[in-house]
């Protein structure tokens, strides 16, 4: 019989820091236990050295405003005339979807905190109200800049290349006839006009939906009425007309509204869009009902309060006043923009079959250790991994011929006894899920830790969890109070020499689709010590066991923060002893105050510190007396930089860690995260990647001490250079 286990009360200890999202902890941010490394006693700062860091009251940049600067860098890619034209359109779409999620989660959280009267200053020293007001101002500027880029630059340049995004009055007669038939035959049957009058209350406007606010008049009475018509999301955002010409769907609808309101005069139609609070709040005290509680909360998400109203700048003031009043939004939350709204639909334009306007085609290759040798049959992954540790970097190394093949071979191999797997996000038609189902149905023991609280993937993960249960997998929904975010796969195989464990530890999700565009690292290994550590961790996640000591892993919330701080201190000790010392970190976000203060302390001691941060960074590099040896860079481009790397010079014997944890409170305190120390043979490859990223000729953004990012227009694009490296290696 299949077994399942809902979320349990955590058996992991209390977090090692009291840092919260609202501000820094009132603990010594540099004091952490030495319980992870078999090294000489590390450097321990005294009170004066700690005070030398803490005297800089403004040493933390605000995380929300730093995120907006990240999305500004995305917008700058759309403005970059040196990039392929359709890729610039895609970056405009990414900018839009990023901003939507930011409002749904982060802005909604700030509003909730203000409403609850929790006006705690952030680590930056700003109150929630101050942050929110700055967000509104900055966001309005960025959205207007996006509209300018789209209308004044992208549209004319696309037109020159034969791709035209038109408004209704720009269509020729035949195209208008085509749209009329399309409306009559396909669009009209789907539409539902919702009037507002004493008998019809103001309709509910779903989050992120595109809508028409229609003003009509009764010709007999002269009475004006308001109605809302939703733009159906089942149709393409930009209606294809042939010959790579398109028109917004709302334009087609707006021109034919008389069919929806027969006998009435259509006075005006204005496009608008609402963003709502869609963050989840699940009470987890009753662990047995977690699944039901989450499903109930997913229904509530649809009815979250509004946090933003987007309207076209031509909207009638009377209609806008009605929307503001009925939706309950503040004037600051209204964004008047040049249309069209909701540019997420540009993804469809970016996918046009125009190779001349896109990045050159790229096909991932099989890692050399896993490559087929003089045979048309796939390589035996287990045999290859027994010979070599395999350090993968996606998308350059194929996910399909490495991680996916590893699990598919394990599912089919009669010598495999068990598979243990964590799943945070995966694709809708996941071969990973299929492999786990096949393994369970063939009699293997299969344990799957499914994180059903993965934001915006909750519904999918509930569905996959039930499918796995029905196939006979043992499904565990994680630990109460903690999200299971680590990326682990463990295969137990019966071999002539005895039981052997094969392990994959990665920085990214087990998702074949995102693995083609997300840059991630992963280690495939048969190392006995790593395998034993991972086995202990799986037992912690699924059972009552408690193992706090790992030889090759750092595990949050136990000791990721403390372990990294200790490594940073060790670099200070090396520097003071005259040995080589340097710290290089790569992450999506660096916010945690304890880690930041440790890095500041290292910089004050003279240790070179380099950070490669894709998104949020709360550090101030280059501050005299605080961070003069510190450099912070950001690389954005063709692929989404997603891996987390922690590299230390270590007195001339470099060490490197990879894993799932960003330097954020949620990762270090409220998630199960794993970092693995790489075998020495793979550390040089990490060093080579970081060397290229920090090379002065590499295109990147550099952060200054005031929190401003400056574009460095070098000669080398990181992703293009790594593609070329991969081709040479192949």
């Amino acid at each position: 019989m299949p077994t399942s286990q809902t979320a349990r009360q955590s058996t992991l200890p209390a977090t090692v820091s009291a840092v919260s999202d609202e501000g820094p902890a009132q603990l010594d941010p540099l004091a952490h236990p030495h319980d992870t490394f078999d090294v000489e006693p590390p450097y321990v700062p005294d009170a004066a050295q700690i005070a030398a860091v803490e005297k800089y009251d403004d040493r933390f940049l605000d995380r929300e405003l730093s995120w907006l600067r990240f999305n500004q860098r995305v917008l700058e890619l759309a403005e970059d005339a040196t990039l392929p034209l359709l890729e610039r359109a895609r970056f405009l779409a990414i900018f839009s979807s990023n901003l939507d999620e930011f409002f749904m989660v982060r802005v909604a959280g700030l509003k909730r905190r203000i409403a609850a009267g929790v006006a705690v200053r952030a680590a930056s020293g700003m109150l929630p109200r101050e942050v929110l007001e700055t967000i509104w101002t900055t966001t309005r500027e960025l959205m207007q800049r996006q509209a300018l880029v789209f209308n004044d630059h992208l549209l004319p340049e696309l037109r020159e290349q034969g791709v035209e995004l038109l408004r209704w009055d720009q269509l020729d007669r035949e195209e208008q006839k085509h749209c009329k038939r399309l409306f009559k035959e396909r669009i009209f049957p789907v539409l539902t006009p919702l009037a507002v009058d004493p008998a019809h209350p103001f309709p509910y406007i779903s989050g992120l939906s595109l809508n028409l606010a229609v003003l009509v008049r009764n010709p007999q009475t002269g009475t004006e009425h308001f109605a809302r018509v939703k733009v159906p999301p089942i149709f393409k955002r930009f209606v294809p007309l042939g010959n790579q010409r398109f028109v917004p769907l709302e334009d087609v609808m707006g021109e034919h509204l008389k069919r929806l309101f027969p006998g009435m005069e259509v006075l005006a139609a204005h496009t608008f869009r609402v963003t709502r609070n869609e963050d989840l709040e699940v009470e987890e005290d009753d662990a047995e009902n977690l699944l039901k509680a989450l499903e109930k909360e997913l229904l509530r998400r649809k009815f979250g309060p509004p946090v933003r109203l987007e309207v076209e700048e031509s909207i009638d003031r009377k209609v806008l006043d009605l929307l503001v009043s009925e939706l309950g939004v503040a004037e600051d939350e209204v964004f008047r923009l040049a249309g069209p709204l909701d540019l997420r639909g540009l993804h469809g334009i970016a996918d046009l079959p125009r190779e001349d306007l896109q990045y050159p085609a790229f096909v991932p290759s099989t890692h050399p250790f896993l490559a087929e040798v003089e045979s048309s049959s796939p390589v035996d992954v287990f045999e290859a991994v027994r010979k070599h540790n395999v350090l993968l970097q996606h998308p350059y190394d194929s996910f399909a011929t490495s991680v996916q093949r590893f699990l598919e071979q394990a599912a089919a191999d009669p010598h495999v006894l068990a598979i243990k797997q964590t799943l945070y996000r995966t694709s809708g038609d996941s071969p990973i899920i299929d492999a786990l189902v096949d393994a369970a149905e063939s009699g293997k023991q299969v344990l799957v830790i499914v994180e059903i609280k993965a934001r915006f993937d909750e519904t999918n993960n509930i569905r996959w969890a039930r499918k796995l249960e029905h196939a006979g997998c043992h499904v565990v929904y994680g630990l109460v109070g903690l999200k299971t975010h680590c990326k682990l796969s463990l295969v137990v195989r019966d071999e002539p020499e005895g039981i052997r464990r094969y392990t994959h530890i990665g920085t990214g999700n087990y998702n074949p689709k995102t693995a083609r565009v997300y840059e991630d690292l992963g280690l495939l290994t048969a190392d006995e010590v790593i395998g034993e550590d991972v086995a202990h961790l799986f037992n912690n996640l699924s059972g009552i066991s408690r193992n706090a000591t790992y030889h090759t892993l750092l595990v949050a919330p136990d000791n990721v923060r403390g372990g990294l701080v200790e490594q940073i201190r060790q670099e200070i000790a090396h520097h003071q002893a005259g040995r080589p010392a340097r710290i290089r970190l790569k992450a999506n976000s660096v916010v945690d105050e304890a880690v930041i203060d440790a890095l500041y302390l290292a910089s004050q001691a003279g240790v070179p510190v380099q950070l490669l941060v894709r998104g949020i960074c709360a550090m101030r590099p280059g501050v005299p007396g605080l961070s003069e040896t510190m450099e912070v860079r950001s690389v954005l481009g063709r692929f989404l930089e997603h891996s987390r790397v922690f590299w230390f010079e270590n007195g001339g014997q470099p060490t490197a860690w990879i894993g799932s944890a960003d330097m954020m409170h949620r990762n270090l305190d409220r998630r199960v995260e794993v970092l693995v120390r790489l075998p020495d043979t793979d550390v040089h490859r990490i060093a080579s990647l970081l060397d290229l990223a920090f090379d002065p000729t590499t295109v990147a953004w550099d952060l200054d001490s005031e929190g401003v990012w400056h574009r460095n227009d070098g000669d080398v694009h990181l992703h293009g250079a790594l593609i070329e490296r991969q081709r040479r290696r192949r």
Side-chain angles (χ1 to χ4, degrees):
M1 291 289 292
T3 64
S4 68
Q5 182 179 349
T6 55
R8 304 175 295 99
Q9 188 64 42
S10 170
T11 58
L12 298 175
T15 60
V16 297
S17 169
V19 175
S20 71
D21 276 341
E22 286 72 36
Q26 300 303 310
L27 304 177
D28 173 5
L30 303 176
H32 295 281
H34 172 61
D35 60 359
T36 308
F37 305 101
D38 184 19
V39 294
E40 62 186 71
Y43 161 83
V44 178
D46 58 31
Q49 291 164 326
I50 294 174
V53 171
E54 293 181 340
K55 73 176 183 179
Y56 292 87
D57 294 335
D58 61 348
R59 64 189 184 277
F60 302 117
L61 298 171
D62 187 81
R63 63 157 290 166
E64 316 299 355
L65 304 184
S66 180
W67 186 93
L68 285 177
R69 295 309 173 198
F70 151 69
N71 212 30
Q72 177 180 321
R73 299 196 293 279
V74 175
L75 183 57
E76 288 175 14
L77 289 173
E79 296 170 332
D80 187 346
T82 68
L83 296 183
L85 195 52
L86 290 183
E87 305 299 345
R88 293 169 59 193
R90 191 182 306 282
F91 284 122
L92 276 185
I94 293 171
F95 173 88
S96 293
S97 56
N98 283 351
L99 204 56
D100 286 345
E101 184 170 337
F102 178 71
F103 269 85
M104 289 188 292
V105 178
R106 302 305 308 180
V107 173
L110 282 170
K111 288 191 66 178
R112 188 166 58 239
R113 203 175 303 163
I114 293 169
V118 185
V120 179
R121 290 188 184 276
S124 63
M126 299 179 71
L127 287 168
R129 170 60 63 180
E130 296 172 323
V131 175
L132 191 57
E133 290 173 352
T134 307
I135 286 173
W136 284 330
T137 301
T138 306
T139 302
R140 184 166 283 103
E141 294 171 355
L142 291 176
M143 293 179 71
Q144 290 171 347
R145 184 169 158 185
Q146 180 197 25
L148 179 68
V149 172
F150 176 74
N151 288 294
D152 291 8
H153 298 279
L154 198 66
L155 288 186
E157 293 177 43
L158 284 170
R159 188 179 305 118
E160 290 177 5
Q161 299 297 327
V163 179
E164 297 186 80
L165 276 62
L166 309 165
R167 303 311 295 255
W168 178 263
D169 57 7
Q170 296 175 303
L171 305 187
D172 63 33
R173 189 173 184 81
E174 287 303 314
E175 289 169 336
Q176 291 183 353
K177 287 183 179 179
H178 167 76
C179 289
K180 184 177 182 179
R181 289 192 301 270
L182 178 68
F183 181 86
K184 179 181 178 181
E185 296 171 4
R186 295 191 56 79
I187 300 174
F188 176 73
V190 177
L191 301 181
T192 303
L194 297 174
V196 176
D197 58 32
H200 301 86
F202 192 86
Y204 176 77
I205 310 297
S206 54
L208 301 188
S209 64
L210 194 62
N211 306 272
L212 290 178
V214 184
L215 201 60
V216 298
R217 181 169 57 202
N218 186 323
Q220 296 180 346
T221 65
T223 305
E224 294 184 359
H225 300 273
F226 172 87
R228 172 258 190 158
V229 183
K230 182 177 180 178
V231 178
I234 58 173
F235 297 117
K236 291 183 178 180
R237 175 73 184 81
F238 294 99
V239 178
L241 304 170
N243 298 320
Q244 296 185 348
R245 287 164 63 89
F246 304 85
V247 64
L249 178 57
E250 65 270 24
D251 280 22
V252 178
M253 292 171 53
E255 190 63 26
H256 298 89
L257 287 174
K258 288 183 179 181
R259 291 184 58 87
L260 280 176
F261 303 96
M264 304 291 283
E265 297 177 17
V266 178
L267 302 179
H270 307 284
T271 311
F272 72 96
R273 184 171 181 260
V274 176
T275 311
R276 294 185 177 275
N277 175 358
E278 298 202 17
D279 202 14
L280 295 179
E281 299 176 70
V282 182
E283 292 293 335
E284 299 177 293
D285 293 337
D286 187 354
E288 292 301 317
N289 291 321
L290 175 61
L291 213 59
K292 292 181 180 178
L294 185 60
E295 289 175 319
K296 182 179 180 180
E297 187 68 8
L298 286 170
L299 291 175
R300 186 208 62 78
R301 169 188 277 176
K302 298 179 181 178
F303 300 94
V307 293
R308 179 179 58 164
L309 171 63
E310 299 169 80
V311 298
E312 285 197 282
E313 58 188 6
S314 59
I315 191 169
D316 181 90
R317 184 70 225 187
K318 187 165 50 177
V319 174
L320 179 57
D321 289 343
L322 176 65
L323 291 174
V324 168
S325 173
E326 293 291 347
L327 291 169
V329 297
E331 283 291 336
D332 286 333
E333 296 171 317
V334 178
F335 294 81
R336 302 182 68 145
L337 303 163
L341 305 180
D342 190 8
L343 293 181
R344 294 177 302 167
L346 288 175
H347 278 297
I349 304 300
D351 288 335
L352 286 173
R354 288 290 302 270
E355 294 183 2
D356 57 319
L357 303 180
Q358 296 163 330
Y359 286 123
F362 163 68
V363 178
S365 64
T366 299
H367 190 285
F369 291 162
L370 301 176
E372 302 160 5
V373 181
E374 298 180 357
S375 171
S376 59
S377 60
V379 71
D380 183 326
V381 176
F382 300 126
E383 181 182 357
V385 173
R386 281 197 301 272
K387 295 177 180 177
H388 305 279
N389 294 312
V390 181
L391 180 62
L392 302 160
Q393 187 183 24
H394 311 299
Y396 313 103
D397 294 314
S398 168
F399 182 89
T401 59
S402 56
V403 180
Q404 182 179 323
R405 182 180 291 173
F406 169 62
L407 288 167
E408 289 174 340
Q409 183 177 333
D413 189 337
H415 299 292
V416 169
L417 306 177
I419 302 174
K420 300 186 179 185
Q421 178 77 44
T422 62
L423 287 179
Y424 191 76
R425 303 184 197 274
T426 189
S427 59
D429 53 349
S430 173
I432 304 298
I433 299 289
D434 293 340
L436 296 172
V437 167
D438 291 344
E441 291 178 344
S442 67
K444 296 176 174 62
Q445 291 291 310
V446 179
L447 169 70
V448 188
I449 313 293
V450 178
E451 182 46 74
I452 57 174
K453 301 185 297 298
R455 181 177 287 148
F456 301 125
D457 275 329
E458 298 93 347
T459 302
N460 284 338
N461 286 6
I462 290 173
R463 185 169 65 250
W464 299 133
R466 287 178 169 153
K467 178 178 179 179
L468 291 163
E469 286 177 3
H470 293 157
C473 299
H474 301 275
V475 178
V476 175
Y477 298 131
L479 302 175
V480 170
L482 299 173
K483 284 187 179 182
T484 305
H485 189 250
C486 50
K487 324 299 182 183
L488 305 173
S489 185
L490 179 68
V491 172
V492 181
R493 193 167 186 265
D494 190 5
E495 298 182 356
E497 301 81 8
I499 298 295
R500 189 188 299 269
R501 298 184 181 98
Y502 296 85
T503 307
H504 174 264
I505 302 177
T507 68
N509 299 306
Y510 290 94
N511 188 324
K513 291 184 178 178
T514 59
R516 293 195 283 267
V517 291
Y518 283 27
E519 179 275 336
D520 272 304
L521 294 164
L523 177 68
L524 273 171
T525 181
D527 183 281
E528 294 181 7
V529 180
I530 293 177
E532 185 174 1
D533 278 353
V534 172
H536 283 313
L537 179 55
F538 269 112
N539 289 341
N540 289 348
L541 292 172
S542 65
I544 309 300
S545 61
R546 176 72 187 99
N547 183 75
T549 303
Y550 302 97
H551 298 284
T552 59
L553 306 181
L554 293 175
V555 179
D558 280 9
N559 59 14
V560 169
R561 179 187 286 111
L564 290 175
V565 167
E566 184 158 333
Q567 287 280 271
I568 293 168
R569 289 178 173 181
Q570 192 67 18
E571 291 303 299
I572 297 175
H574 285 307
H575 179 75
Q576 291 178 336
R579 296 187 292 268
R582 182 167 48 155
I583 300 166
R584 295 197 283 185
L585 306 185
K586 179 180 183 296
N588 297 318
S589 300
V590 178
V591 174
D592 186 76
E593 292 87 3
V595 173
I596 290 175
D597 276 348
L599 292 169
Y600 279 145
L601 192 67
S603 184
Q604 281 185 330
V607 178
V609 178
Q610 293 178 310
L611 280 78
L612 187 63
V613 185
R614 186 192 82 220
I616 306 168
C617 183
M619 301 196 72
R620 292 183 184 270
V623 176
L626 177 68
S627 54
E628 293 173 82
T629 67
M630 186 177 293
E631 176 186 5
V632 179
R633 301 198 103 188
S634 182
V635 172
L636 302 178
R638 177 171 186 169
F639 303 128
L640 185 144
E641 291 291 316
H642 192 249
S643 64
R644 293 86 166 182
V645 174
F646 308 87
W647 186 96
F648 304 93
E649 188 76 54
N650 193 36
Q653 297 180 325
T655 60
W657 302 73
I658 65 170
S660 54
D662 280 308
M663 298 299 97
M664 304 180 75
H665 311 140
R666 70 184 188 196
N667 297 86
L668 303 181
D669 296 330
R670 302 192 298 276
R671 290 185 175 186
V672 180
E673 303 276 16
V674 169
L675 304 182
V676 61
R677 180 170 173 170
L678 292 178
D680 292 343
T681 52
D682 293 316
V683 173
H684 72 282
R685 185 175 176 192
I686 296 296
S688 177
L689 294 172
L690 294 172
D691 287 344
L692 181 58
F694 285 105
D695 191 294
T697 65
T698 298
V699 176
W701 283 261
D702 295 308
L703 181 64
D704 69 17
S705 59
E706 298 301 316
V708 178
W709 293 88
H710 302 275
R711 177 78 178 263
N712 166 36
D713 291 317
D715 301 322
V716 177
H717 288 272
L718 179 65
H719 302 146
L722 291 175
I723 288 173
E724 186 56 35
R725 277 191 187 184
Q726 175 247 24
R727 286 173 176 160
R728 290 199 302 268
R729 186 181 65 174
R730 183 170 57 186

